[in-house]
Amino acid sequence: MKRGRTATVLLLLAAALAASAVAGLALGPVRIAPGRVLDLLLAGPGARGGAFASIVWDVRMPRVLLGAVVGAGLAVTGTVLQALVRNQLADPFLLGASSGASAGAVLVIVFGTAAGAGAVGALGGAGVPLAAFAGSMAALVTVYALARRGGTMTTGRLILAGVAVQYVLSALTSLVLVLSASPDQMRSVLFWTLGGLGGARWSELALPAAALFAGTGVLVTLARPLDLLLAGEEGAHTLGLDTGRFRAAAFVLTSLVIGVLVASSGAIGFVGLMVPHAARMVVGAGHRALLPVAALGGAVFLTLADLLARTAAAPEEIPVGVVTALVGGPFFLWMLRRSGRGAGVTG
């Protein structure tokens, strides 16, 4: 019965994703009838449709796909981080991973350009994703080390450590913004700070999509160890899990995925907090079902959030990170109140 329920949920989410994608392709400054959108999709990228075909295939399709990929990836990494630290308030944004990735990318963009090495510095096209990965990994390790004391991690310490690291990284990004004399660089820094999908291009979709599918595929195979962590440190050891080594490997993998995603979209918060919690309420805590449900749920959520971001104040566009924060902030406060202050977990 549980497998049948999971399959039903996945089918419903897939249908919701398809509907939200069509809405994302149809709505905007130029509105296109959904029937016309479907005709253009069936005709393929080479469809003859004049301006409408160009809008659908060249402008909106990469953005919708990037939103789905980033939303799915943030939801999956949020689910894994919550298992690794055994706290449902964990999230790539709240734990500083997104801010670290953003800071790393901004440093490479600004100082790489200043050094005359292009926007990605001396590392070529991989410079921004690598810097984002390094920043994400450093932030996660720092927050985890600060929050864990005597084998115990409390909700209060975890949140305070994440907030403190975010403040430091935000200050670093602001300093880079002050030192940057180029208006183009300033816009880039603001993009990484607020998050956005407006720069989506077909040529830039391959890397985040590969990171999502490869990372999620590996994490699904690790569903049992993730489940064991929920039983507690001693229980996981008793059942044969080397928790230290497993956590280290999982932190590296999630940091890599987060770094690649942030390098494509900037820092978008609260997706990895809200979506796993909602998915857990529907299919339970088992990660073999939870991870794919969270992935589809995150894709739907960010696709709709981006649609709202570019239509709510048209012709002006709101950064999608602002939209997710407006929804996620109250949700976080509700979860914090519900979880109880200072609830301790062993980790």
Side-chain angles (χ1 to χ4, degrees), residues 112-176:
T113 302
V120 292
L123 295 174
V128 171
L130 284 175
F133 161 67
S136 173
M137 185 67 192
L140 276 177
V141 171
T142 301
V143 170
Y144 185 75
L146 290 173
R148 190 172 186 236
R149 184 183 302 166
T152 301
M153 184 186 307
T154 67
T155 297
R157 272 208 307 269
L158 182 68
I159 294 171
L160 289 175
V163 169
V165 170
Q166 278 194 71
Y167 270 121
V168 172
L169 294 171
S170 297
L172 177 62
T173 305
S174 299
L175 177 61
V176 173

Side-chain angles (χ1 to χ4, degrees), residues 36-192:
R36 181 62 171 151
V37 169
L38 292 175
D39 290 340
L40 292 171
L41 292 178
L42 292 174
R48 293 183 179 180
F52 284 171
S54 179
I55 290 172
V56 168
W57 283 105
D58 299 332
V59 178
R60 294 181 183 172
M61 180 66 80
R63 181 166 184 160
V64 168
L65 291 177
L66 181 61
V69 167
V70 171
L74 291 176
V76 167
T77 53
T79 303
V80 173
L81 288 176
Q82 289 171 9
L84 293 178
V85 302
R86 295 186 57 223
N87 194 311
Q88 293 187 15
L89 295 176
D91 162 80
F93 186 78
L94 294 173
L95 294 187
S98 294
S99 299
S102 179
V106 168
L107 286 171
V108 169
I109 289 173
V110 173
F111 292 109
T113 302
V120 292
L123 295 174
V128 171
L130 284 175
F133 161 67
S136 173
M137 185 67 192
L140 276 177
V141 171
T142 301
V143 170
Y144 185 75
L146 290 173
R148 190 172 186 236
R149 184 183 302 166
T152 301
M153 184 186 307
T154 67
T155 297
R157 272 208 307 269
L158 182 68
I159 294 171
L160 289 175
V163 169
V165 170
Q166 278 194 71
Y167 270 121
V168 172
L169 294 171
S170 297
L172 177 62
T173 305
S174 299
L175 177 61
V176 173
L177 179 60
V178 171
L179 296 177
S180 173
S182 168
D184 291 336
Q185 289 179 354
M186 292 178 68
R187 282 193 292 270
S188 295
V189 172
L190 289 174
F191 164 77
W192 295 111

Side-chain angles (χ1 to χ4, degrees), residues 5 51 56 63 105 115-116 129 172 188 202 204 208 225 233 256 262 269 277 295:
R5 182 179 183 182
V56 168
R63 181 166 184 160
L172 177 62
S188 295
W202 281 108
E204 299 170 358
E233 198 83 4
L256 179 60
V262 172
H277 184 73

Side-chain angles (χ1 to χ4, degrees), residues 69-338:
V69 167
V70 171
L74 291 176
V76 167
T77 53
T79 303
V80 173
L81 288 176
Q82 289 171 9
L84 293 178
V85 302
R86 295 186 57 223
N87 194 311
Q88 293 187 15
L89 295 176
D91 162 80
F93 186 78
L94 294 173
L95 294 187
S98 294
S99 299
S102 179
V106 168
L107 286 171
V108 169
I109 289 173
V110 173
F111 292 109
T113 302
V120 292
L123 295 174
V128 171
L130 284 175
F133 161 67
S136 173
M137 185 67 192
L140 276 177
V141 171
T142 301
V143 170
Y144 185 75
L146 290 173
R148 190 172 186 236
R149 184 183 302 166
T152 301
M153 184 186 307
T154 67
T155 297
R157 272 208 307 269
L158 182 68
I159 294 171
L160 289 175
V163 169
V165 170
Q166 278 194 71
Y167 270 121
V168 172
L169 294 171
S170 297
L172 177 62
T173 305
S174 299
L175 177 61
V176 173
L177 179 60
V178 171
L179 296 177
S180 173
S182 168
D184 291 336
Q185 289 179 354
M186 292 178 68
R187 282 193 292 270
S188 295
V189 172
L190 289 174
F191 164 77
W192 295 111
T193 303
L194 300 175
L197 304 173
R201 301 289 183 272
W202 281 108
S203 59
E204 299 170 358
L205 281 174
L207 186 58
L212 168 67
F213 289 112
T216 303
V218 173
L219 290 169
V220 168
T221 66
L222 300 176
R224 184 175 180 275
L226 290 171
D227 290 342
L228 291 180
L229 284 179
L230 300 179
E233 198 83 4
E234 293 183 2
H237 271 302
T238 302
L239 294 172
L241 178 65
D242 186 341
T243 56
R245 182 175 297 179
F246 176 74
R247 274 200 178 98
F251 270 134
V252 171
L253 179 58
T254 53
S255 297
L256 179 60
V257 175
I258 292 168
V260 172
L261 296 178
V262 172
S264 304
S265 66
I268 299 174
F270 297 102
V271 178
L273 172 69
M274 294 184 290
V275 175
H277 184 73
R280 204 175 284 111
M281 294 174 65
V282 177
V283 296
H287 285 84
R288 189 170 296 278
L290 181 61
L291 287 171
V293 169
L296 279 177
V300 173
F301 175 74
L302 195 57
T303 300
L304 293 176
D306 183 57
L307 176 60
L308 180 62
R310 57 189 173 88
T311 57
E316 297 297 327
E317 184 174 314
I318 304 170
V320 69
V322 173
V323 175
T324 60
L326 288 173
V327 178
F331 183 87
F332 171 69
L333 293 175
W334 172 75
M335 283 196 66
L336 184 61
R337 180 180 177 83
R338 184 170 176 264

